[in-house]
Every structure is written in structure tokens, then in C-alpha cells.
Amino acid sequence: MDFSQMNPAEQAHMTRVIERKQMQDFMRMYSNLVERCFNACCNDFTSKALSSKEEQCVLNCTDKFLKHSERVGARFAEHNAEMMNSAVQK
């Protein structure tokens, strides 16, 4: 994003807004990860500790979720770059 046309106070404000949005997005993603993996993996509530099966499930679930999120982000960046290139060529 180009903030060069803004004065320093506006630039600082926009930077804070973007940082807050990024933190909200991160917290939403983390919350979704916890909810999804908890619901998929934690089934036995007779013990405070996770069983080895539950622990492995959580590890697999988080790994899969993070890889998926990384891949979606990469595809979004690729798509965005393609759109920017086609807009520049027109």
C-alpha cells in the first residue's frame, strides 16, 4: 500500500489500523485452528492429559491446517500478482 501521499500522522494511523487488522486475522486463524483440532482430536475427558493418540492427532491436525493456510496464502499472492500484471499490461 502506498502511503506516500499521506502526512506522517495519517501514515502512522494507517500503519496501526493495518497492524490491528493483521492481529485480528491471526487471532481468528489461531482460534479456528484450536477449535477444529480440539473437536477432531479430543474425545476422552476422563484424564487431564492427552492420550498419545490424541496428541498425534493434534500434531497432524495443526500441521495440515498450517500447510493449508500457507498454500492458500501463496495461491492468493500468485493470483494477486497475475491480476496486477494484467492491469499493468492494459
Side-chain angles (χ1 to χ4, degrees), residues 37-44 47 49-62:
C37 294
F38 179 84
N39 289 336
C41 299
C42 299
N43 305 313
D44 180 13
S47 170
L50 293 174
S51 69
S52 59
K53 181 180 175 183
E54 289 173 327
E55 189 171 345
Q56 189 60 48
C57 179
V58 168
L59 291 173
N60 291 340
C61 180
T62 55

PDB file of all heavy atoms in Angstrom, residues 37-44 47 49-62:
ATOM      1  N   CYS A  37      -9.074 -28.536  15.660  1.00  0.00           N
ATOM      2  CA  CYS A  37      -8.267 -29.667  16.129  1.00  0.00           C
ATOM      3  C   CYS A  37      -8.798 -30.233  17.449  1.00  0.00           C
ATOM      4  O   CYS A  37      -8.768 -31.444  17.656  1.00  0.00           O
ATOM      5  CB  CYS A  37      -6.805 -29.259  16.245  1.00  0.00           C
ATOM      6  SG  CYS A  37      -6.068 -28.881  14.632  1.00  0.00           S
ATOM      7  N   PHE A  38      -9.292 -29.371  18.325  1.00  0.00           N
ATOM      8  CA  PHE A  38      -9.884 -29.867  19.566  1.00  0.00           C
ATOM      9  C   PHE A  38     -11.087 -30.752  19.262  1.00  0.00           C
ATOM     10  O   PHE A  38     -11.202 -31.858  19.782  1.00  0.00           O
ATOM     11  CB  PHE A  38     -10.294 -28.707  20.473  1.00  0.00           C
ATOM     12  CG  PHE A  38     -10.938 -29.155  21.752  1.00  0.00           C
ATOM     13  CD1 PHE A  38     -10.168 -29.522  22.838  1.00  0.00           C
ATOM     14  CD2 PHE A  38     -12.319 -29.220  21.862  1.00  0.00           C
ATOM     15  CE1 PHE A  38     -10.756 -29.952  24.016  1.00  0.00           C
ATOM     16  CE2 PHE A  38     -12.926 -29.649  23.029  1.00  0.00           C
ATOM     17  CZ  PHE A  38     -12.143 -30.013  24.116  1.00  0.00           C
ATOM     18  N   ASN A  39     -11.987 -30.270  18.415  1.00  0.00           N
ATOM     19  CA  ASN A  39     -13.190 -31.041  18.094  1.00  0.00           C
ATOM     20  C   ASN A  39     -12.865 -32.338  17.376  1.00  0.00           C
ATOM     21  O   ASN A  39     -13.543 -33.347  17.577  1.00  0.00           O
ATOM     22  CB  ASN A  39     -14.156 -30.208  17.258  1.00  0.00           C
ATOM     23  CG  ASN A  39     -14.803 -29.097  18.061  1.00  0.00           C
ATOM     24  OD1 ASN A  39     -14.905 -29.176  19.281  1.00  0.00           O
ATOM     25  ND2 ASN A  39     -15.220 -28.046  17.384  1.00  0.00           N
ATOM     26  N   ALA A  40     -11.829 -32.328  16.552  1.00  0.00           N
ATOM     27  CA  ALA A  40     -11.482 -33.530  15.792  1.00  0.00           C
ATOM     28  C   ALA A  40     -10.704 -34.548  16.623  1.00  0.00           C
ATOM     29  O   ALA A  40     -10.814 -35.749  16.385  1.00  0.00           O
ATOM     30  CB  ALA A  40     -10.654 -33.149  14.568  1.00  0.00           C
ATOM     31  N   CYS A  41      -9.939 -34.076  17.601  1.00  0.00           N
ATOM     32  CA  CYS A  41      -8.972 -34.969  18.251  1.00  0.00           C
ATOM     33  C   CYS A  41      -9.242 -35.294  19.715  1.00  0.00           C
ATOM     34  O   CYS A  41      -8.818 -36.345  20.194  1.00  0.00           O
ATOM     35  CB  CYS A  41      -7.572 -34.361  18.146  1.00  0.00           C
ATOM     36  SG  CYS A  41      -7.005 -34.129  16.453  1.00  0.00           S
ATOM     37  N   CYS A  42      -9.868 -34.414  20.432  1.00  0.00           N
ATOM     38  CA  CYS A  42     -10.022 -34.609  21.874  1.00  0.00           C
ATOM     39  C   CYS A  42     -11.377 -35.225  22.177  1.00  0.00           C
ATOM     40  O   CYS A  42     -12.404 -34.556  22.121  1.00  0.00           O
ATOM     41  CB  CYS A  42      -9.847 -33.273  22.603  1.00  0.00           C
ATOM     42  SG  CYS A  42      -8.216 -32.564  22.331  1.00  0.00           S
ATOM     43  N   ASN A  43     -11.341 -36.512  22.487  1.00  0.00           N
ATOM     44  CA  ASN A  43     -12.582 -37.262  22.679  1.00  0.00           C
ATOM     45  C   ASN A  43     -12.732 -37.837  24.087  1.00  0.00           C
ATOM     46  O   ASN A  43     -13.836 -38.109  24.522  1.00  0.00           O
ATOM     47  CB  ASN A  43     -12.652 -38.423  21.682  1.00  0.00           C
ATOM     48  CG  ASN A  43     -12.498 -37.938  20.260  1.00  0.00           C
ATOM     49  OD1 ASN A  43     -13.131 -36.973  19.865  1.00  0.00           O
ATOM     50  ND2 ASN A  43     -11.649 -38.588  19.494  1.00  0.00           N
ATOM     51  N   ASP A  44     -11.615 -38.022  24.773  1.00  0.00           N
ATOM     52  CA  ASP A  44     -11.643 -38.682  26.076  1.00  0.00           C
ATOM     53  C   ASP A  44     -11.401 -37.641  27.170  1.00  0.00           C
ATOM     54  O   ASP A  44     -10.301 -37.097  27.279  1.00  0.00           O
ATOM     55  CB  ASP A  44     -10.559 -39.766  26.125  1.00  0.00           C
ATOM     56  CG  ASP A  44     -10.532 -40.497  27.448  1.00  0.00           C
ATOM     57  OD1 ASP A  44     -11.484 -40.355  28.239  1.00  0.00           O
ATOM     58  OD2 ASP A  44      -9.542 -41.224  27.693  1.00  0.00           O
ATOM     59  N   SER A  47      -9.338 -37.926  31.596  1.00  0.00           N
ATOM     60  CA  SER A  47      -7.988 -37.600  32.074  1.00  0.00           C
ATOM     61  C   SER A  47      -7.659 -36.164  31.699  1.00  0.00           C
ATOM     62  O   SER A  47      -8.139 -35.639  30.695  1.00  0.00           O
ATOM     63  CB  SER A  47      -6.979 -38.552  31.417  1.00  0.00           C
ATOM     64  OG  SER A  47      -5.669 -38.129  31.679  1.00  0.00           O
ATOM     65  N   ALA A  49      -4.663 -35.193  30.877  1.00  0.00           N
ATOM     66  CA  ALA A  49      -3.630 -35.247  29.839  1.00  0.00           C
ATOM     67  C   ALA A  49      -4.193 -35.845  28.546  1.00  0.00           C
ATOM     68  O   ALA A  49      -5.159 -36.609  28.557  1.00  0.00           O
ATOM     69  CB  ALA A  49      -2.453 -36.094  30.315  1.00  0.00           C
ATOM     70  N   LEU A  50      -3.571 -35.457  27.457  1.00  0.00           N
ATOM     71  CA  LEU A  50      -3.936 -36.057  26.169  1.00  0.00           C
ATOM     72  C   LEU A  50      -3.360 -37.455  26.079  1.00  0.00           C
ATOM     73  O   LEU A  50      -2.244 -37.708  26.529  1.00  0.00           O
ATOM     74  CB  LEU A  50      -3.375 -35.225  25.018  1.00  0.00           C
ATOM     75  CG  LEU A  50      -3.938 -33.833  24.797  1.00  0.00           C
ATOM     76  CD1 LEU A  50      -3.158 -33.120  23.703  1.00  0.00           C
ATOM     77  CD2 LEU A  50      -5.406 -33.892  24.443  1.00  0.00           C
ATOM     78  N   SER A  51      -4.098 -38.348  25.455  1.00  0.00           N
ATOM     79  CA  SER A  51      -3.539 -39.668  25.179  1.00  0.00           C
ATOM     80  C   SER A  51      -2.550 -39.516  24.028  1.00  0.00           C
ATOM     81  O   SER A  51      -2.535 -38.497  23.327  1.00  0.00           O
ATOM     82  CB  SER A  51      -4.655 -40.640  24.795  1.00  0.00           C
ATOM     83  OG  SER A  51      -5.191 -40.295  23.533  1.00  0.00           O
ATOM     84  N   SER A  52      -1.740 -40.512  23.817  1.00  0.00           N
ATOM     85  CA  SER A  52      -0.762 -40.428  22.721  1.00  0.00           C
ATOM     86  C   SER A  52      -1.485 -40.335  21.366  1.00  0.00           C
ATOM     87  O   SER A  52      -1.029 -39.631  20.463  1.00  0.00           O
ATOM     88  CB  SER A  52       0.192 -41.623  22.743  1.00  0.00           C
ATOM     89  OG  SER A  52      -0.534 -42.829  22.612  1.00  0.00           O
ATOM     90  N   LYS A  53      -2.611 -41.014  21.252  1.00  0.00           N
ATOM     91  CA  LYS A  53      -3.396 -40.952  20.013  1.00  0.00           C
ATOM     92  C   LYS A  53      -3.944 -39.541  19.794  1.00  0.00           C
ATOM     93  O   LYS A  53      -3.876 -39.001  18.683  1.00  0.00           O
ATOM     94  CB  LYS A  53      -4.541 -41.958  20.085  1.00  0.00           C
ATOM     95  CG  LYS A  53      -5.409 -42.010  18.847  1.00  0.00           C
ATOM     96  CD  LYS A  53      -6.517 -43.038  19.011  1.00  0.00           C
ATOM     97  CE  LYS A  53      -7.442 -42.998  17.808  1.00  0.00           C
ATOM     98  NZ  LYS A  53      -8.564 -43.920  17.935  1.00  0.00           N
ATOM     99  N   GLU A  54      -4.475 -38.933  20.854  1.00  0.00           N
ATOM    100  CA  GLU A  54      -4.984 -37.567  20.749  1.00  0.00           C
ATOM    101  C   GLU A  54      -3.864 -36.581  20.436  1.00  0.00           C
ATOM    102  O   GLU A  54      -4.028 -35.681  19.608  1.00  0.00           O
ATOM    103  CB  GLU A  54      -5.680 -37.155  22.047  1.00  0.00           C
ATOM    104  CG  GLU A  54      -7.004 -37.848  22.286  1.00  0.00           C
ATOM    105  CD  GLU A  54      -7.577 -37.547  23.656  1.00  0.00           C
ATOM    106  OE1 GLU A  54      -6.792 -37.371  24.623  1.00  0.00           O
ATOM    107  OE2 GLU A  54      -8.809 -37.499  23.763  1.00  0.00           O
ATOM    108  N   GLU A  55      -2.738 -36.763  21.087  1.00  0.00           N
ATOM    109  CA  GLU A  55      -1.602 -35.866  20.857  1.00  0.00           C
ATOM    110  C   GLU A  55      -1.120 -35.947  19.412  1.00  0.00           C
ATOM    111  O   GLU A  55      -0.867 -34.921  18.772  1.00  0.00           O
ATOM    112  CB  GLU A  55      -0.460 -36.200  21.818  1.00  0.00           C
ATOM    113  CG  GLU A  55       0.655 -35.189  21.775  1.00  0.00           C
ATOM    114  CD  GLU A  55       1.671 -35.391  22.874  1.00  0.00           C
ATOM    115  OE1 GLU A  55       1.408 -36.127  23.840  1.00  0.00           O
ATOM    116  OE2 GLU A  55       2.751 -34.786  22.753  1.00  0.00           O
ATOM    117  N   GLN A  56      -1.022 -37.159  18.883  1.00  0.00           N
ATOM    118  CA  GLN A  56      -0.612 -37.323  17.484  1.00  0.00           C
ATOM    119  C   GLN A  56      -1.640 -36.711  16.541  1.00  0.00           C
ATOM    120  O   GLN A  56      -1.294 -36.070  15.550  1.00  0.00           O
ATOM    121  CB  GLN A  56      -0.387 -38.801  17.150  1.00  0.00           C
ATOM    122  CG  GLN A  56       0.245 -39.022  15.800  1.00  0.00           C
ATOM    123  CD  GLN A  56       1.619 -38.364  15.686  1.00  0.00           C
ATOM    124  OE1 GLN A  56       2.468 -38.499  16.557  1.00  0.00           O
ATOM    125  NE2 GLN A  56       1.835 -37.626  14.610  1.00  0.00           N
ATOM    126  N   CYS A  57      -2.905 -36.874  16.858  1.00  0.00           N
ATOM    127  CA  CYS A  57      -3.974 -36.293  16.054  1.00  0.00           C
ATOM    128  C   CYS A  57      -3.857 -34.768  16.036  1.00  0.00           C
ATOM    129  O   CYS A  57      -3.967 -34.139  14.983  1.00  0.00           O
ATOM    130  CB  CYS A  57      -5.333 -36.719  16.603  1.00  0.00           C
ATOM    131  SG  CYS A  57      -6.748 -36.028  15.716  1.00  0.00           S
ATOM    132  N   VAL A  58      -3.611 -34.165  17.203  1.00  0.00           N
ATOM    133  CA  VAL A  58      -3.470 -32.709  17.287  1.00  0.00           C
ATOM    134  C   VAL A  58      -2.274 -32.244  16.466  1.00  0.00           C
ATOM    135  O   VAL A  58      -2.357 -31.248  15.731  1.00  0.00           O
ATOM    136  CB  VAL A  58      -3.361 -32.246  18.758  1.00  0.00           C
ATOM    137  CG1 VAL A  58      -2.928 -30.790  18.842  1.00  0.00           C
ATOM    138  CG2 VAL A  58      -4.683 -32.445  19.491  1.00  0.00           C
ATOM    139  N   LEU A  59      -1.158 -32.957  16.561  1.00  0.00           N
ATOM    140  CA  LEU A  59       0.028 -32.592  15.779  1.00  0.00           C
ATOM    141  C   LEU A  59      -0.254 -32.666  14.279  1.00  0.00           C
ATOM    142  O   LEU A  59       0.102 -31.752  13.525  1.00  0.00           O
ATOM    143  CB  LEU A  59       1.211 -33.492  16.146  1.00  0.00           C
ATOM    144  CG  LEU A  59       1.797 -33.293  17.541  1.00  0.00           C
ATOM    145  CD1 LEU A  59       2.839 -34.362  17.833  1.00  0.00           C
ATOM    146  CD2 LEU A  59       2.389 -31.906  17.686  1.00  0.00           C
ATOM    147  N   ASN A  60      -0.901 -33.742  13.858  1.00  0.00           N
ATOM    148  CA  ASN A  60      -1.247 -33.889  12.439  1.00  0.00           C
ATOM    149  C   ASN A  60      -2.234 -32.809  11.993  1.00  0.00           C
ATOM    150  O   ASN A  60      -2.104 -32.241  10.905  1.00  0.00           O
ATOM    151  CB  ASN A  60      -1.832 -35.272  12.160  1.00  0.00           C
ATOM    152  CG  ASN A  60      -0.818 -36.375  12.293  1.00  0.00           C
ATOM    153  OD1 ASN A  60       0.391 -36.153  12.244  1.00  0.00           O
ATOM    154  ND2 ASN A  60      -1.295 -37.591  12.505  1.00  0.00           N
ATOM    155  N   CYS A  61      -3.217 -32.536  12.834  1.00  0.00           N
ATOM    156  CA  CYS A  61      -4.235 -31.544  12.508  1.00  0.00           C
ATOM    157  C   CYS A  61      -3.619 -30.155  12.361  1.00  0.00           C
ATOM    158  O   CYS A  61      -3.906 -29.443  11.397  1.00  0.00           O
ATOM    159  CB  CYS A  61      -5.305 -31.542  13.599  1.00  0.00           C
ATOM    160  SG  CYS A  61      -6.634 -30.366  13.335  1.00  0.00           S
ATOM    161  N   THR A  62      -2.783 -29.764  13.309  1.00  0.00           N
ATOM    162  CA  THR A  62      -2.164 -28.436  13.232  1.00  0.00           C
ATOM    163  C   THR A  62      -1.239 -28.336  12.032  1.00  0.00           C
ATOM    164  O   THR A  62      -1.228 -27.312  11.341  1.00  0.00           O
ATOM    165  CB  THR A  62      -1.386 -28.092  14.516  1.00  0.00           C
ATOM    166  OG1 THR A  62      -0.430 -29.119  14.795  1.00  0.00           O
ATOM    167  CG2 THR A  62      -2.321 -27.930  15.694  1.00  0.00           C
TER     168      THR A  62
END
